[in-house]
Amino acid sequence: FEQELARELATTEGPEPTPEEVEPFKRALVDTLVKRMLLLQAAKQNNIAVTPEEVDRGVLRLSGDYPAGNFNEVLAQGQLSMAELRAREASRLTIEKLFTNHVYSRVAVTEEELRAYYAAHEADFQEPEEVHAAQMVVKGLDEARKLQAQLKAGKKFSDLARRYSLSADAKVGGDLGFFPRGQMPPAFDEVVFKLGVGQVSDVVSTEYGFHLFRVLERKPARKREFVEVR
């Protein structure tokens, strides 16, 4: 319990918590440990276990999230040995298998319940209009005008963006992906949602610099059909 609590508190930011501030962490941890033990006991009663190979694969997936050599450093920082990590992963996989075999298989949702939920939550299935756009941004207006001239002369937008754009998306040809209104700065929305597919904007000035936008695709607003979300 003390080890788990210390690890939990180590992830919190700010000054060291007072005993009163630690109390909620203690109660939550006790609850978690009790539930974990009850689930492991239920798994044992139902003859559910995991093989060493399954644990190996689980640990391998965890270590795959870190660059080579860094995983052991992360374990050391958390004061967690490989044996303890394997034990934790075995418990997690055992509980997961218990739910798969004895809980999920008994859960049934009727067609009527599904359709009733769909009808009662229509707003959740509304998709706003989206635009797939690309941009290039430079520091000066003169430079932006020169790029605009090169586009009119037939140069590819993506090639110019890769070469001249100061934005992080330059490495992918300025591709911003799909986005709805309100996700990008207002100046972006004001321009791109008025352009047709394939059209390039005039020079747009923002706090980031001078932009040129090109619309690649559009998706109209729509409601997702029941068959898609069933």
Side-chain angles (χ1 to χ4, degrees):
F1 174 84
E2 292 295 344
Q3 286 178 334
E4 292 267 5
L5 180 63
R7 291 190 194 106
E8 181 75 21
L9 294 176
T11 63
T12 61
E13 297 180 355
E16 186 174 341
T18 65
E20 292 77 16
E21 292 171 331
V22 171
E23 201 58 36
F25 286 96
K26 287 185 174 182
R27 288 197 297 270
L29 180 56
V30 168
D31 189 50
T32 297
L33 294 178
V34 169
K35 286 178 179 176
R36 185 190 303 169
M37 184 58 68
L38 289 171
L39 289 167
L40 290 172
Q41 287 177 355
K44 187 174 183 180
Q45 290 166 2
N46 286 282
N47 298 313
I48 292 173
V50 292
T51 65
E53 291 75 19
E54 288 175 310
V55 176
D56 287 340
R57 286 195 293 271
V59 171
L60 192 61
R61 279 194 296 272
L62 290 172
S63 63
D65 292 335
Y66 299 89
N70 282 20
F71 187 56
N72 288 333
E73 291 180 21
V74 172
L75 291 181
Q77 289 170 5
Q79 298 183 332
L80 192 68
S81 69
M82 182 57 74
E84 288 173 317
L85 177 67
R86 288 181 60 84
R88 283 175 134 203
E89 186 63 7
S91 296
R92 188 190 70 79
L93 292 170
T94 300
I95 292 168
E96 190 176 272
K97 193 176 283 191
L98 172 70
F99 274 82
T100 300
N101 295 352
H102 293 273
V103 179
Y104 300 146
S105 60
R106 300 204 312 248
V107 174
V109 183
T110 66
E111 188 73 11
E112 291 74 20
E113 287 174 314
L114 289 172
R115 290 189 178 276
Y117 185 92
Y118 178 75
H121 298 79
E122 285 192 356
D124 293 347
F125 307 112
Q126 296 288 348
E127 292 185 349
E129 178 187 12
E130 289 187 316
V131 166
H132 181 191
Q135 72 161 343
M136 57 179 107
V137 55
V138 292
K139 282 186 178 179
L141 178 59
D142 288 343
E143 189 178 0
R145 292 293 186 202
K146 288 176 183 177
L147 290 171
Q148 194 175 32
Q150 289 189 58
L151 288 171
K152 290 178 180 177
K155 292 293 179 84
K156 287 183 66 175
F157 192 100
S158 57
D159 291 343
L160 292 176
R162 285 190 182 92
R163 186 171 180 181
Y164 297 107
S165 182
L166 302 176
S167 182
D169 47 60
K171 59 186 177 183
V172 290
D175 194 335
L176 296 168
F178 275 100
F179 55 90
R181 294 179 190 273
Q183 185 172 304
M184 295 290 184
F188 289 34
D189 290 353
E190 181 66 23
V191 175
V192 298
F193 281 93
K194 292 179 180 177
L195 294 173
V197 174
Q199 285 188 316
V200 176
S201 72
D202 197 358
V203 176
V204 179
S205 175
T206 76
E207 60 184 303
Y208 306 106
F210 294 88
H211 305 251
L212 288 166
F213 295 99
R214 182 170 186 261
V215 169
L216 307 176
E217 300 173 81
R218 299 184 75 99
K219 286 182 182 177
R222 72 183 189 103
K223 180 183 176 183
R224 296 173 70 194
E225 299 293 334
F226 176 75
V227 67
E228 295 179 71
V229 299
R230 185 181 182 282

